[in-house]
Amino acid sequence: MDKRYEVYCLADRHFYETPDRLSVGGTAPEFGTAGRPVPQGWRSAREGDWLTFIPVDEGGHARPAPQQGWKIHVSATLENADRVAAAVWDHCVPRAVPFKFIAGRHLLHLRNSKYAGRDGSGKFATLYPADDHQLQAILSELGQALEGVEGPYILTDLRWQEGPLYVRYGAFTRRMCVNERGSLVLAIENDRGVLVPDSRDPAFRVPEWVTLPAFLESQLAARNNTTTTDLPYRMEKALHFSNGGGVYAGTDTRDGRKVVLKEGRPHAGLASDGADAVARLERERDALEKLAGLGVAPEVRDWFELGGHRFLVMDFLEGRTLNSFFADRHPLLVSEPDADAIAAYTAWALRIHRAVEDAVAAVHERGVVFNDLHMFNIMVGPDEESVSLLDFETATKVGEGSRQVVAHPGFIAPADREGVDVDRYALACLRLALFLPITTLLAVDRGKAAHLATVIASQFPDVPKEFLAEAVAEIERGGQEQAHAKGATRATAGPAAPLVELADWPHSRDSMVKAIIASATPERDDRLFPGDIAQFTDGGGLGLAHGAAGVLLALAESGAERYEEGERWLLKHTELAPPGTPLGLNDGLAGIAHVLERLGHRTRALDLMELVLRENWQRLPSDLHGGLAGLGLALDALAHSTGEEQLAQHALRAAELIGERLTADSPPSGRPRAGLLHGATGPALLFLRLYERNGDPALIDLAARALRADLDRCVARPDGSLGVDEGWRTMPYLGDGSVGIGMVIDDYLSHRDDAGFEAARPGILATARSRFCVQPGLFQGRAGLLLHINRSTAPGITPEDVAAQIEGLGWFAMPYAGQLAFPGHQMLRLSMDLHTGTAGCLLALAAALGDGGAHVPFLPPPRRPQSRPRYASES
């Protein structure tokens, strides 16, 4: 679970949204200081969470200021934040020091919440001194004014004395560079004048070319004096980090006992009730002491403070968390599930659930409500039968009537559940998750439970009907009335039937199109269609992957009517490309240009490509997503459609640069990424398309070399399926997995025989036939598997294979505005974008069921004809 997504679920119940927007009208209360009139000679603006203040000259222009240097961060709690903001204002305005602060209480709470980013934790205000002299003066004077004020420790910075002021060397203005993974990131300039990433790791570091001011040396020495050397414990491994602190495996040096040390940071890791990590750690200690000797929870061994942080020491429990058994045991992770394996798994899962129920009942008998039951908090012993419960930091007393304050999204109880009913709801979710671990869909619509139960019954025939019926009844209890009160539409008609059968084409297409159009917000400037959280970064609301361009492309590819208002929106918002917009195919301007050309807006497409070519595009990474491979493909396509020969030459230059890198003697450092979007397969696709254009055999040789590099990163599973080895999992998907590699291998083999590539195809097809997939999206889920199965020219594919993937995609179908939609990445909210959401599912279904040759860019239908399945609705 990617914890970044949870904060984007707070402002809207259907879609990912920035937390500074409220779900239904109104405004969130702001700090009183935020309501002060802007001083004369200053300019103010809202930038996301921040309220910024910049001194200006008589002409209204910002006064000259450095682009980088030592900045000051000020920490604050919810209780003292307005006082801190006033002190910062009163200090900075008379001295013309630019500053900013978090405008509202709810935004500060989110910044310091348990799963907020550790790099931004505690940062309430930022000041930008002009030089080291002013830096020292501010630290001395403002530090004295805020003496004794508390706040969360800022992990990225060096603390000034014992107050809430911290310092870090970093960027003052927004400059970007490409990091080692090929992503655009904030940058600072090194001593050679080169832009390098402005590191925001949760640890204080001074860039190697920067000298720490002398007046900060004593602060650094004080910071380094806090060590664990005097503890009777040896910390050996970090098990987990959150904004509230770390969890470490270690050894008690006095007796050799294995222990777990859990850290609580004051004022950080806030829960919804405002409790910080220390308060929750105290709750956990108290709950575990009540459960002592019960055998279903860790035993408490110690409680101490170090460097202002609290630590709880517990016995180390042998075994594995329940979620980790999914990859090993679940029988649907293969193309042809074995009936005996399904029966054996069913029996094991039912026993595990019974053991968890017994453990929860024993906890209740001791007067404790667990309040955070999910598959990551259930430890299965080495015998793979016994269970224990972990993480009691939100536990409460039976009878208190308390609600959840922290919860896993796939197990979070509705607002009407309190006390032991919270645990009963989670146990009901666990009944479904053990067989179909996609209960995060219930966070969008609890009515989905009935559909999931029906799918489980069809795939696991030995699961007792009452086992599932009881789960659905508990999950949906109270849901019908609440859904009616909110005007919500249900994804089910009757007990479990999807609103629209996906194979009912073109009815399913029309329903998805209606849902997409209903979600559009042409009045907004940041995005037109809701999608992945990536659309809230530079240019994300415009581009192919997560923005308007990708959705408009899917509508066109599926044969839907043109959404002219959407095209006007994209044209308006590309008249002047927003600063920082990436250049690439999937993340930026090249992809937008490609789509606009596809839609007939050739002049704007050429203008955008000219803008790309003005930049230092040659330094882009080699990949398809945002690098030279994608740019080269877009340049070549635009050259072919417009006759602009210079664009074709630039495309060849992009291929030449990639070829030079590919044939370089030194291999890339670390673990290189593989797959279509970020690996060598994207460059292979560029080489192939250029080979088809000019017939240069050197290009197809380079394509073979690139494909082999990615195949070398693949490993076979016991069932023969082939996936990209990421070190801790194998990846099957279109974007970063073996299926994307397989798509380009298919195209390569239409030009040249290769025994190694032929040998890889069955394993890739076995992966694409997998009966279960954890997400529906095109580049990270089931829709991509469907696209490959339908498109591949490999022998042995049947119409039934395509139909099975269409059916499996239907497991994720959700309602929006009475129409058909799909959840996005992490499945906590719906998405309409191309890479993760409804638009991508629409395109994959159009490729399988339509007649228009729908395809993702530069992967058109194969040259060799292939029959497609027919359905009753077509006869």
Side-chain angles (χ1 to χ4, degrees):
M1 178 63 65
D2 188 335
K3 296 298 182 181
R4 295 178 305 155
Y5 282 76
E6 293 188 28
V7 72
Y8 290 90
C9 296
L10 301 174
D12 191 284
R13 72 187 190 89
H14 287 115
F15 302 113
Y16 293 122
E17 185 57 272
T18 54
D20 57 317
R21 290 179 178 265
L22 296 178
S23 55
V24 185
T27 57
E30 295 190 338
F31 295 118
T33 307
R36 290 184 180 184
V38 178
Q40 185 175 1
W42 286 76
R43 185 173 69 211
S44 178
R46 282 295 295 266
E47 297 179 359
D49 295 356
W50 298 99
L51 183 60
T52 65
F53 294 88
I54 301 173
V56 295
D57 59 23
E58 293 181 357
H61 303 293
R63 295 183 182 180
Q67 293 187 299
Q68 62 192 50
W70 289 99
K71 63 177 72 174
I72 299 173
H73 288 120
V74 190
S75 181
T77 67
L78 297 176
E79 290 69 30
N80 63 31
D82 205 12
R83 172 192 166 188
V84 171
V88 168
W89 180 299
D90 294 342
H91 185 89
C92 291
V93 169
R95 297 166 178 81
V97 178
F99 68 99
K100 64 182 180 181
F101 63 90
I102 302 295
R105 179 184 175 91
H106 71 295
L107 296 174
L108 180 59
H109 184 281
L110 293 176
R111 180 168 287 265
N112 291 326
S113 63
K114 180 176 181 180
Y115 292 115
R118 298 167 72 224
D119 57 339
S121 176
K123 296 176 182 177
F124 169 64
T126 309
L127 288 68
Y128 300 95
D131 51 35
D132 288 1
H133 176 75
Q134 190 174 60
L135 169 71
Q136 185 175 14
I138 295 172
L139 291 172
S140 177
E141 297 167 17
L142 185 59
Q144 185 174 359
L146 294 175
E147 185 176 359
V149 172
E150 295 186 336
Y153 194 98
I154 299 177
L155 298 172
T156 59
D157 291 24
L158 177 64
R159 189 177 189 178
W160 173 256
Q161 298 180 353
E162 298 301 318
L165 304 188
Y166 297 77
V167 296
R168 184 180 79 84
Y169 190 93
F172 287 10
T173 60
R174 189 176 184 82
R175 294 189 288 176
M176 311 295 290
C177 71
V178 176
N179 67 9
E180 68 279 359
R181 295 181 67 87
S183 301
L184 272 180
V185 296
L186 291 171
I188 54 177
E189 188 176 310
N190 67 16
D191 56 343
R192 301 186 305 277
V194 177
L195 290 180
V196 297
D198 182 7
S199 173
R200 281 165 164 76
D201 293 337
F204 176 68
R205 293 185 177 89
V206 181
E208 59 183 14
W209 67 90
V210 175
T211 301
L212 184 75
F215 57 85
L216 293 177
E217 290 176 357
S218 61
Q219 312 301 315
L220 182 60
R223 176 184 180 275
N224 293 337
N225 280 338
T226 301
T227 68
T228 62
T229 54
D230 294 333
L231 292 177
Y233 306 104
R234 183 173 60 250
M235 295 186 187
E236 296 164 340
K237 181 181 180 182
L239 301 176
H240 173 69
F241 283 111
S242 75
N243 197 17
V247 181
Y248 310 91
T251 299
D252 188 327
T253 58
R254 295 165 296 190
D255 58 13
R257 184 195 302 268
K258 295 178 69 175
V259 294
V260 169
L261 300 95
K262 190 170 184 178
E263 176 187 21
R265 297 177 56 222
H267 310 301
L270 303 181
S272 63
D273 63 350
D276 68 3
V278 173
R280 293 201 316 277
L281 203 58
E282 290 173 343
R283 292 176 185 173
E284 181 161 19
R285 178 199 61 191
D286 294 345
L288 292 178
E289 288 176 346
K290 290 180 181 179
L291 302 176
L294 197 58
V296 298
E299 299 289 334
V300 174
R301 296 298 168 189
D302 201 356
W303 174 259
F304 65 88
E305 181 178 333
L306 178 68
H309 296 190
R310 284 287 183 178
F311 286 84
L312 174 64
V313 184
M314 302 167 282
D315 279 343
F316 181 90
L317 298 182
E318 299 289 348
R320 297 160 55 193
T321 54
L322 180 55
N323 67 290
S324 69
F325 282 86
F326 182 78
D328 294 344
R329 281 185 172 265
H330 202 280
L332 300 190
L333 295 178
V334 297
S335 56
E336 298 180 4
D338 179 76
D340 291 339
I342 291 174
Y345 178 84
T346 299
W348 177 80
L350 293 173
R351 291 196 302 273
I352 288 292
H353 191 274
R354 170 53 62 188
V356 175
E357 281 187 321
D358 292 344
V360 171
V363 168
H364 290 173
E365 289 176 3
R366 288 283 182 97
V368 175
V369 178
F370 189 14
N371 246 349
D372 192 20
L373 179 71
H374 56 80
M375 296 177 77
F376 292 77
N377 281 353
I378 299 168
M379 177 68 77
V380 181
D383 61 359
E384 300 193 357
E385 298 287 342
S386 59
V387 302
S388 301
L389 306 179
L390 305 175
D391 201 355
F392 281 79
E393 64 180 37
T394 60
T396 59
K397 297 177 182 178
V398 171
E400 274 188 352
S402 54
R403 290 163 55 181
Q404 279 180 303
V405 295
V406 173
H408 186 284
F411 293 77
I412 187 169
D416 61 342
R417 310 299 169 90
E418 298 177 344
V420 296
D421 282 348
V422 172
D423 288 348
R424 290 174 182 146
Y425 181 88
L427 284 167
C429 292
L430 184 61
R431 292 190 181 204
L432 305 183
L434 278 165
F435 298 96
L436 209 59
I438 55 175
T439 54
T440 49
L441 297 177
L442 304 180
V444 183
D445 181 9
R446 277 191 283 155
K448 187 67 175 177
H451 187 197
L452 297 183
T454 298
V455 173
I456 292 168
S458 68
Q459 302 298 314
F460 298 88
D462 293 338
V463 177
K465 292 181 180 179
E466 61 274 12
F467 181 86
L468 298 173
E470 291 168 1
V472 172
E474 176 62 34
I475 291 167
E476 292 194 337
R477 178 162 59 87
Q480 298 284 0
E481 294 81 359
Q482 291 183 12
H484 179 73
K486 293 178 181 178
T489 55
R490 289 287 304 277
T492 55
L499 186 67
V500 179
E501 292 288 349
L502 301 192
D504 186 9
W505 190 268
H507 182 48
S508 59
R509 176 199 65 190
D510 296 342
S511 186
M512 283 182 278
V513 170
K514 289 175 183 176
I516 289 170
I517 302 303
S519 75
T521 53
E523 70 279 3
R524 290 177 59 161
D525 290 322
D526 60 335
R527 55 97 160 146
L528 175 60
F529 301 103
D532 189 72
I533 66 172
Q535 66 182 191
F536 300 116
T537 58
D538 292 320
L542 301 174
L544 189 66
H546 306 295
V551 178
L552 294 173
L553 176 71
L555 294 177
E557 290 289 329
S558 69
E561 291 185 12
R562 294 184 70 153
Y563 179 43
E564 295 184 359
E565 185 176 11
E567 294 181 33
R568 289 194 296 271
W569 186 93
L570 186 57
L571 289 168
K572 173 186 174 183
H573 287 83
T574 53
E575 287 177 1
L576 291 173
T581 303
L583 307 180
L585 175 66
N586 287 286
D587 64 349
L589 297 177
I592 299 169
H594 179 73
V595 172
L596 288 174
E597 162 63 19
R598 165 77 169 78
L599 297 174
H601 305 289
R602 178 168 294 176
T603 300
R604 177 59 52 80
L606 288 168
D607 289 345
L608 290 178
M609 197 60 81
E610 181 181 351
L611 185 61
V612 171
L613 294 173
R614 287 186 204 150
E615 301 293 328
N616 193 6
W617 58 270
Q618 296 90 343
R619 293 184 59 188
L620 288 172
S622 299
D623 64 59
L624 181 73
H625 180 73
L628 290 175
L631 176 58
L633 286 163
L635 285 165
D636 178 69
L638 193 57
H640 184 69
S641 62
T642 62
E644 296 280 347
E645 178 60 27
Q646 189 175 11
L647 297 179
Q649 294 305 310
H650 287 310
L652 288 171
R653 177 57 182 157
E656 181 182 352
L657 289 169
I658 299 172
E660 291 171 358
R661 298 173 188 176
L662 189 64
T663 56
D665 293 333
S666 57
S669 60
R671 177 183 289 272
R673 299 181 72 175
L676 181 64
L677 290 183
H678 301 285
T681 298
L685 180 61
L686 172 63
F687 296 140
L688 272 180
R689 296 295 170 251
L690 293 179
Y691 168 77
E692 291 168 350
R693 195 79 76 195
N694 62 34
D696 182 354
L699 288 167
I700 198 167
D701 290 341
L702 283 169
R705 182 168 186 160
L707 285 171
R708 290 192 185 97
D710 270 4
L711 270 183
D712 287 344
R713 287 283 319 283
C714 294
V715 294
R717 288 171 52 88
D719 68 327
S721 61
L722 201 65
V724 170
D725 181 10
E726 294 195 333
W728 60 285
R729 63 180 178 181
T730 56
M731 184 61 70
Y733 299 132
L734 177 62
D736 295 307
S738 56
V739 161
I741 301 170
M743 295 267 279
V744 181
I745 282 177
D746 283 347
D747 286 11
Y748 178 95
L749 291 172
S750 69
H751 297 291
R752 179 187 285 178
D753 292 335
D754 187 290
F757 294 161
E758 281 288 357
R761 294 174 95 187
I764 295 173
L765 283 176
T767 296
R769 288 187 174 110
S770 177
R771 196 72 189 103
F772 178 74
C773 201
V774 295
Q775 296 188 126
L778 181 60
F779 281 84
Q780 293 176 303
R782 173 84 76 176
L785 306 190
L786 167 62
L787 187 71
H788 179 52
I789 284 284
N790 179 74
R791 180 184 185 275
S792 181
T793 56
I797 298 175
T798 67
E800 289 72 26
D801 291 328
V802 178
Q805 291 301 331
I806 292 174
E807 178 193 359
L809 186 59
W811 297 356
F812 300 91
M814 300 288 288
Y816 180 71
Q819 304 297 334
L820 176 62
F822 288 89
H825 191 52
Q826 302 293 308
M827 300 195 300
L828 301 176
R829 290 294 184 267
L830 302 178
S831 170
M832 298 300 173
D833 71 31
L834 179 68
H835 274 214
T836 74
T838 306
C841 296
L842 170 65
L843 189 148
L845 288 165
L849 301 173
D851 292 315
H855 63 279
V856 296
F858 312 112
L859 282 167
R863 293 166 174 260
R864 286 172 265 181
Q866 180 182 354
S867 62
R868 66 180 184 88
R870 294 184 62 83
Y871 296 91
S873 60
E874 300 176 64
S875 58

